[in-house]
Amino acid sequence: QDPARRKMYDTFGIDFGEERPEMEVWTIGMEWMMSPLGLLILKTVIMRVAFWIVGFKWVGYFVLLCGVVTAILYAIKFKFRGFAFDNTEDAMPVLFLVGASVLMVLVCWIWQLLADAVGIFFLVAEMLPMQAGSKKLWVGAGLGSLFFAWLFRGWWFWIIVLEVAAAVVVLITLTIVCGLMGMWIENVKGRQGERLRETRT
């Protein structure tokens, strides 16, 4: 058996497993705090970069042209090297991506606030316990997204900065907590080790 693991068992009377307790705390913190926060930052950055790119007129026209071409190819069931523009599983992701891109361009051009609201809804959709039949929750989330889109308008750069700062604070806090926990465990092991040696002698 691992001597370090045996020493932990002799000190606390509990088998903590192969990982040290502070590393278990680090893993839990990274999984339940840093991972969702990092995903939120990534989604926010992607959303704002996509809106910024779509803001260029020529990009929007190119996306609309791609949408028209895709619609024509889908209408005539065009096939190319085994790939068919139809309702097959291979074609649906492409059709969905093109359709979503065209919709995003149109929404951004028609009403920028609505585009921001859709982006916020995209950010928080996975956090809400929404079900297909919960119409009130869907409507409430949509209206709330529209309100926060109006509230956050012009502040997106600072929102991203705040999210990054929160991630840094969480990471520093996890590091300090795990470090202090490791120091405390080593201190207890040292004192308990002396008592064990006294009782065994």
Side-chain angles (χ1 to χ4, degrees), residues 5-103:
R5 185 174 174 181
R6 178 65 185 178
K7 192 171 183 180
M8 291 286 292
Y9 178 80
D10 290 340
T11 303
F12 296 98
I14 301 174
D15 185 10
F16 290 101
E18 296 181 359
E19 292 286 341
R20 290 175 57 88
E22 63 269 27
M23 295 308 300
E24 288 286 348
V25 172
W26 174 267
T27 302
I28 293 173
M30 293 298 291
E31 180 178 355
W32 291 97
M33 298 177 69
M34 283 301 299
S35 181
L37 192 53
L39 186 60
L40 177 63
I41 295 172
L42 180 62
K43 286 183 177 181
T44 306
V45 171
I46 291 176
M47 178 188 73
R48 299 317 302 175
V49 170
F51 287 166
W52 175 73
I53 293 176
V54 170
F56 295 101
K57 287 294 184 181
W58 64 272
V59 175
Y61 288 130
F62 177 75
V63 172
L64 293 179
L65 178 61
C66 290
V68 173
V69 172
T70 303
I72 295 174
L73 295 177
Y74 178 77
I76 64 176
K77 306 298 182 183
F78 180 77
K79 294 183 179 181
F80 180 72
R81 293 185 178 179
F83 183 85
F85 285 84
D86 50 21
N87 294 328
T88 59
E89 294 182 358
D90 294 335
M92 289 307 295
V94 176
L95 297 175
F96 176 79
L97 178 62
V98 174
S101 300
V102 171
L103 182 62

Side-chain angles (χ1 to χ4, degrees), residues 26 29-30 33-34 37-38 41 160-178:
W26 174 267
M30 293 298 291
M33 298 177 69
M34 283 301 299
L37 192 53
I41 295 172
I160 294 175
V161 170
L162 184 62
E163 290 177 354
V164 173
V168 172
V169 170
V170 170
L171 184 60
I172 293 174
T173 303
L174 274 175
T175 304
I176 293 175
V177 169
C178 293

